[in-house]
Amino acid sequence: MGEVDRPFDVLLLDFGGVCLLNPVELHDHAERTLGLPSGSFGWLGPIDPSTDELWREMVAGEGLTERDYWATRAVEVGRLAGLAFETRDYMELLYVPPRSELIRPGAVRAVEAARAAGMGVSVLTNDLAAFHGPSWQHGIDFFALLDEVVDCSDTGVLKPDPRAYARACEVVGADPGRILFIDDLPRNVEGAEAAGLVGHWFDISRAEAAWADVVERLTPSSH
């Protein structure tokens, strides 16, 4: 048998949108819970950027951060229901209680593929505690599959700041060039690549196919 060539040492994942369903994929849940008509929320963010000028501005880096985007949307959602919402209120509406169906099946398969190839698997996220609170993750079984969770919420140094990637490399104990980093925001992928990691953009509009693309990159070759 030939020697197995492991393409990377670590699979490093963004969490929200990549592993966790994006809020726009939970519009139906929000509308039902708030007693609003179906179709009340017409903006579809990464699923269909043509419907969402605010999302396009954020992705283009026109002075709007991802946290700004969701804060604005939270206010809009609350206003339609006659409620005063901030980001955490909106996230609680969508993601509490924590439950397994919030995690993409492809994310679990990719983690299994990475493990089978002998890689470590960790998360580098900007907003886990900021959006969901400090204990929410304990109700999500997916986190038990991971080696480390690097949550930039605790420092405020967020992707694409190079310090966020340097911290992740230190925590997971791997050279940047041996880490495959997955994120749904192009600027975060570009930031990772500038920091020496191997970046891979995750297209939420074709999420399960996007996970299949990731698994293909993880498949070791024998020679």
Side-chain angles (χ1 to χ4, degrees):
M1 292 181 59
E3 180 184 353
V4 175
D5 178 22
R6 182 175 63 199
F8 304 99
D9 292 334
V10 172
L11 175 63
L12 185 62
L13 305 170
D14 179 36
F15 183 66
V18 173
C19 303
L20 181 73
L21 294 177
N22 186 278
V24 303
E25 297 173 276
L26 298 170
H27 279 341
D28 288 349
H29 174 79
E31 290 160 353
R32 289 195 305 270
T33 303
L34 295 172
L36 297 171
S38 178
S40 293
F41 311 129
W43 38 274
L44 296 175
I47 300 297
D48 185 357
S50 69
T51 66
D52 197 334
E53 181 178 1
L54 195 66
W55 181 267
R56 297 196 303 272
E57 290 177 7
M58 186 271 290
V59 170
E62 297 177 4
L64 189 73
T65 68
E66 189 175 16
R67 289 187 179 187
D68 293 334
Y69 173 86
W70 291 117
T72 300
R73 290 307 190 197
V75 170
E76 294 175 0
V77 168
R79 185 182 298 124
L80 278 177
L83 301 168
F85 265 18
E86 296 181 354
T87 302
R88 284 283 293 275
D89 301 305
Y90 180 40
M91 296 300 166
E92 182 172 340
L93 171 75
L94 299 179
Y95 298 107
V96 174
R99 51 206 186 273
S100 60
E101 58 263 33
L102 295 171
I103 300 297
R104 300 190 190 281
V108 176
R109 289 195 295 271
V111 171
E112 292 171 346
R115 294 292 189 200
M119 300 174 205
V121 184
S122 292
V123 155
L124 172 61
T125 175
N126 275 353
D127 302 309
L128 182 58
F131 282 5
H132 301 291
S135 60
W136 177 85
Q137 71 183 77
H138 302 307
I140 299 288
D141 292 342
F142 179 75
F143 286 99
L145 305 177
L146 306 174
D147 297 313
E148 304 286 351
V149 176
V150 182
D151 183 6
C152 300
S153 295
D154 61 2
T155 64
V157 178
L158 308 179
K159 300 172 294 184
D161 189 308
R163 293 173 294 174
Y165 306 102
R167 177 188 175 199
C169 291
E170 182 178 358
V171 170
V172 303
D175 291 335
R178 297 290 298 166
I179 297 174
L180 178 64
F181 173 70
I182 316 296
D183 202 292
D184 62 301
L185 288 182
R187 66 169 174 259
N188 290 343
V189 175
E190 292 163 5
E193 292 173 340
L197 287 75
V198 180
H200 182 101
W201 176 64
F202 186 91
D203 183 356
I204 291 177
S205 71
R206 50 184 294 276
E208 288 305 304
W211 273 120
D213 294 342
V214 172
V215 170
E216 186 174 356
R217 295 195 69 171
L218 299 176
T219 303
S221 58
S222 296
H223 53 83

